[in-house]
């Protein structure tokens, strides 16, 4: 974070600075902000956030005792330390982050989408690290608290910021984009995800489209030409600098005029894609070192964003080739010859589950999809799970094992082609271990929403399958 003093902070958050007779003055320097009293370091500013199950004000005294210089609070506190009183500490966190962002002149990318946005973020960061210092969103810090905390890490040394924006209700992306003020923004895709907070799929589309509201007049918005919402975005952004990325495939409507696209896609034995990236009259071969044909679209999206910041097509290709797998996202563990366990457990929605099935189908041998419940899908959750089961049949995978109340609808749809449902993880793992003994070549892909805790299945399988061999990441 940039060094600021308490008086500057109070002005940035429109708060009242109360020194409370302490020896700390308004020119005391702040170099770090935290909202977690367990994370306090000497010299910090502690912001007392309220949540449904906690109140940061209860820990303000402890934060000061542990070395915090001052507190931002929604009411006066009896502390021997300065307190900045504001109406809403959550909003003040955002105000402070926006003020820090404004003082740091960094070229900024922001992206949203129902799936793939973390992969696009990692690809953009890898590309841009070849040209300067990059601040990128860590983990799932993509909501109205995570985005400000990310922006507060900006320093004068940063050249680029790559910020992921998520949401579970309308207005959240408009708010976080307003804090971020990106130069270029992306809507990667729209699919049934967090539908409960938006009503239906069109509610999701409108919420993702809020990302353009924080763009400056000369900012550029990129959208997905392969999306069913392409025509909607053409109309929505008719008065903006709007560009389109796409993957050239048989389903792409002929009327879609893409500004950057992929063609000539090939998958290798590990399911990793190579393709030709097309930008104007330039052509560049690109290798994606993580499995899944769906990552071609993610790579093209990252290329679009970075090209907007002046990165040439050769650097884009080398940056994509250098990316490292993100934990829980298509991590391929080869635990012994001809046995692969793919960890895609970070999260799940309909589109990402279908993409995972397609990736699984590209492997040789017997292919088993293991699906935990997909959360936050609203009133049509069972139908969405059935849709995933039907996609498994269409893709030609060999079996679908499910765990959870909702996912049972997927395996029931898959019945006749295999399809088995389990009520407990132990029974699921036992069945998978038995399958390992029956198949000469086997790939198991495990996926589910965070609430399903499907990473435990991956851990159990790796432990059972390789007592002596360390798993290795493919591609």
């Amino acid at each position: 974070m940039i060094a600021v003093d308490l008086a500057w902070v109070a002005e940035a958050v429109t708060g009242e600075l109360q020194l409370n007779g302490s020896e700390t003055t308004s020119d005391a320097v702040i170099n770090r902000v935290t909202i977690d009293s367990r994370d306090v370091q000497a010299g910090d500013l502690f912001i007392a956030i309220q949540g449904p199950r906690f109140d940061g004000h209860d820990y303000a005294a402890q934060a000061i005792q542990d070395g915090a210089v001052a507190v931002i609070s929604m009411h006066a506190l009896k502390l021997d330390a300065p307190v900045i009183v504001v109406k809403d500490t959550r909003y003040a966190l955002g105000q402070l982050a926006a003020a820090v962002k404004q003082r740091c002149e960094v070229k900024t990318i922001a992206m949203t989408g129902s799936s793939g946005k973390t992969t696009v973020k990692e690809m953009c960061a890898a590309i841009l690290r070849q040209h300067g210092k990059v601040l990128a969103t860590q983990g799932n810090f993509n909501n109205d608290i995570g985005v400000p905390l990310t922006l507060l890490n900006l320093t004068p040394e940063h050249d680029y910021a790559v910020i992921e924006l998520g949401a579970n209700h309308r207005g959240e992306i408009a708010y976080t984009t307003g804090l971020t003020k990106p130069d270029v923004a992306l809507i990667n895709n729209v699919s049934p995800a967090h539908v409960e907070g938006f009503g239906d799929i069109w509610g999701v589309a409108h919420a993702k489209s809020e990302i353009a509201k924080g763009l400056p007049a000369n900012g550029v918005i990129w959208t997905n030409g392969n999306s069913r919402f392409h025509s909607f975005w053409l109309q929505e952004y008719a008065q903006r600098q709007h560009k389109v990325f796409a993957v050239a495939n048989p389903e792409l409507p002929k009327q879609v005029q893409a500004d950057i696209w992929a063609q000539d896609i090939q998958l290798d034995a590990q399911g990793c894609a190579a393709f030709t990236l097309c930008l104007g009259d330039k052509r560049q071969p690109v290798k994606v070192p993580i499995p899944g044909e769906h990552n071609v679209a993610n790579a093209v999206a990252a290329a679009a964003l970075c090209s907007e910041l002046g990165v040439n097509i050769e650097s884009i290709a080398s940056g994509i080739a250098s990316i490292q797998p993100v934990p829980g996202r298509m991590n391929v563990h080869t635990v012994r010859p001809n046995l692969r366990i793919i960890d895609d457990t970070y999260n799940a929605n309909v589109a990402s589950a279908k993409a995972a099935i397609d990736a699984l189908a590209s492997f040789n041998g017997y292919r088993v999809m293991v699906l935990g419940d997909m959360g936050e899908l609203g009133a049509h959750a069972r139908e969405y799970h059935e849709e995933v089961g039907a996609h498994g049949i269409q893709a030609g995978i060999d079996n679908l094992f499910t765990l959870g109340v909702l996912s049972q609808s997927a395996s029931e749809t898959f019945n006749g082609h295999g399809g088995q449902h389990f009520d407990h993880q132990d029974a699921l793992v036992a069945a998978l271990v038995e399958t390992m003994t029956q198949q000469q070549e086997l790939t198991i892909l495990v996926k589910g929403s965070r609430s399903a805790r499907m990473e435990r299945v991956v851990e159990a399988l790796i432990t059972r399958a390789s007592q002596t061999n360390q798993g290795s990441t493919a591609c």
Side-chain angles (χ1 to χ4, degrees):
M1 179 178 165
I2 60 174
V4 296
D5 61 39
L6 282 176
W8 185 89
V9 171
E11 183 177 357
V13 301
T14 320
E16 177 189 348
L17 176 59
Q18 300 176 352
L19 295 177
N20 294 331
S22 71
E23 296 181 359
T24 305
T25 61
S26 62
D27 59 358
V29 175
I30 300 295
N31 291 293
R32 187 174 180 270
V33 173
T34 184
I35 63 171
D36 186 347
S37 61
R38 299 165 298 181
D39 183 47
V40 170
Q41 298 177 14
D44 281 358
L45 171 66
F46 176 70
I47 302 181
I49 301 291
Q50 284 185 331
R53 301 181 189 86
F54 66 90
D55 186 348
H57 296 82
D58 296 338
Y59 304 96
Q62 185 64 49
I64 294 298
Q65 183 177 330
D66 291 342
V69 170
V71 174
I72 295 182
S73 166
M74 287 192 286
H75 51 76
L77 296 172
K78 295 181 179 180
L79 297 175
D80 184 22
V83 175
I84 299 173
V85 180
V86 298
K87 290 183 179 179
D88 186 332
T89 50
R90 198 171 183 132
Y91 182 65
L93 173 67
Q95 287 180 295
L96 183 57
V100 168
K101 171 62 168 60
Q102 188 174 13
R103 283 189 53 172
C104 296
E105 297 181 3
V106 294
K107 294 180 179 180
T108 304
I109 290 171
M111 69 275 299
T112 192
S114 297
S115 59
K117 53 186 177 290
T118 297
T119 300
V120 175
K121 174 202 70 180
E122 293 297 324
M123 289 178 171
C124 286
I127 293 166
L128 294 174
R129 285 190 187 106
Q130 301 172 115
H131 303 278
K133 187 173 182 180
V134 180
L135 173 71
T137 301
Q138 296 296 310
N140 61 349
F141 273 42
N142 62 12
N143 64 5
D144 66 322
I145 288 181
V147 171
L149 289 174
T150 298
L151 295 174
L152 286 169
N153 289 321
L154 280 168
T155 69
E157 287 74 38
H158 284 110
D159 302 290
Y160 303 99
V162 182
I163 309 298
E164 177 184 328
L165 307 181
N168 55 24
H169 61 270
R170 293 286 292 270
E172 188 170 4
I173 289 176
Y175 172 68
T176 53
T177 313
L179 306 180
T180 303
K181 299 292 184 187
D183 300 289
V184 55
L186 166 77
I187 303 174
N188 201 36
N189 47 47
V190 172
S191 67
H194 303 295
V195 177
E196 285 180 345
F198 304 108
D200 58 20
I201 189 67
W202 276 99
V204 176
H206 282 284
K208 301 301 182 186
S209 299
E210 294 170 4
I211 195 169
K213 293 183 178 180
L215 284 172
N218 61 345
V220 180
I221 178 73
W222 282 88
T223 62
N224 190 339
N226 296 93
S227 171
R228 61 180 279 201
F229 297 95
H230 174 64
S231 297
F232 164 66
W233 288 321
L234 287 179
Q235 182 177 0
E236 182 81 358
Y237 301 134
Q239 304 304 314
R240 287 189 172 274
Q241 291 193 59
H242 175 209
K243 295 184 180 181
V244 176
F245 75 95
V247 174
N249 61 34
E251 291 77 30
L252 185 66
K254 292 182 179 179
Q255 64 268 28
V256 173
Q257 299 296 315
D259 297 277
I260 188 170
W261 67 97
Q263 63 186 33
D264 306 325
I265 301 168
Q266 302 288 331
L267 296 180
D268 65 18
Q270 287 75 42
C272 296
F275 65 93
T276 300
L277 181 65
C278 306
L279 177 60
D281 59 356
K282 297 178 181 178
R283 302 291 183 269
Q284 176 67 37
V286 176
K287 169 72 174 177
V288 183
I290 50 179
E293 188 171 349
H294 62 284
N295 281 313
V296 173
N298 292 331
V300 178
L305 295 169
C306 293
S307 69
E308 212 61 57
L309 299 188
V311 180
N312 63 48
I313 198 168
E314 295 81 11
S315 289
I316 287 169
S318 61
I320 291 172
S322 73
I323 65 168
Q324 299 297 312
V326 178
R329 297 179 189 270
M330 294 303 293
N331 297 153
V332 182
H333 300 277
T334 304
V335 293
R336 63 175 185 244
N338 295 326
L339 174 59
R340 292 171 292 266
I341 299 171
I342 304 177
D343 180 1
D344 197 30
T345 60
Y346 182 82
N347 215 335
N349 57 49
V350 177
S352 65
K354 288 181 177 181
I357 288 172
D358 291 338
L360 176 62
S362 70
F363 287 88
N364 295 325
Y366 195 82
R367 289 98 21 113
V368 179
M369 177 77 172
V370 182
L371 179 69
D373 282 357
M374 300 181 293
E376 300 181 64
L377 291 179
H380 299 287
R382 288 194 177 277
E383 289 92 330
Y384 286 133
H385 283 78
E386 290 172 358
E387 189 177 324
V388 171
H391 190 78
I393 297 171
Q394 180 183 354
I397 64 171
D398 299 289
N399 216 328
L400 174 64
F401 289 0
T402 59
L403 179 71
V405 175
L406 294 172
S407 66
Q408 184 170 1
S409 298
S411 56
E412 288 175 350
T413 300
F414 200 80
N415 270 336
H417 302 265
Q420 299 181 52
H421 180 73
F422 300 87
D423 294 323
H424 302 286
Q425 279 196 2
D426 289 346
L428 169 62
V429 170
L432 289 167
V433 171
E434 183 178 357
T435 304
M436 291 178 189
T437 66
Q438 296 171 344
Q439 302 298 328
Q440 290 187 343
E441 183 172 7
L442 173 65
T443 302
I444 299 170
L445 192 151
V446 186
K447 191 166 184 65
S449 287
R450 295 303 308 137
S451 56
R453 302 299 301 272
M454 297 302 286
E455 68 276 7
R456 294 176 176 175
V457 175
V458 173
E459 293 165 3
L461 288 177
I462 292 175
T463 300
R464 296 283 294 274
S466 63
Q467 299 298 324
T468 58
N469 297 326
Q470 244 352 296
S472 60
T473 302
C475 303

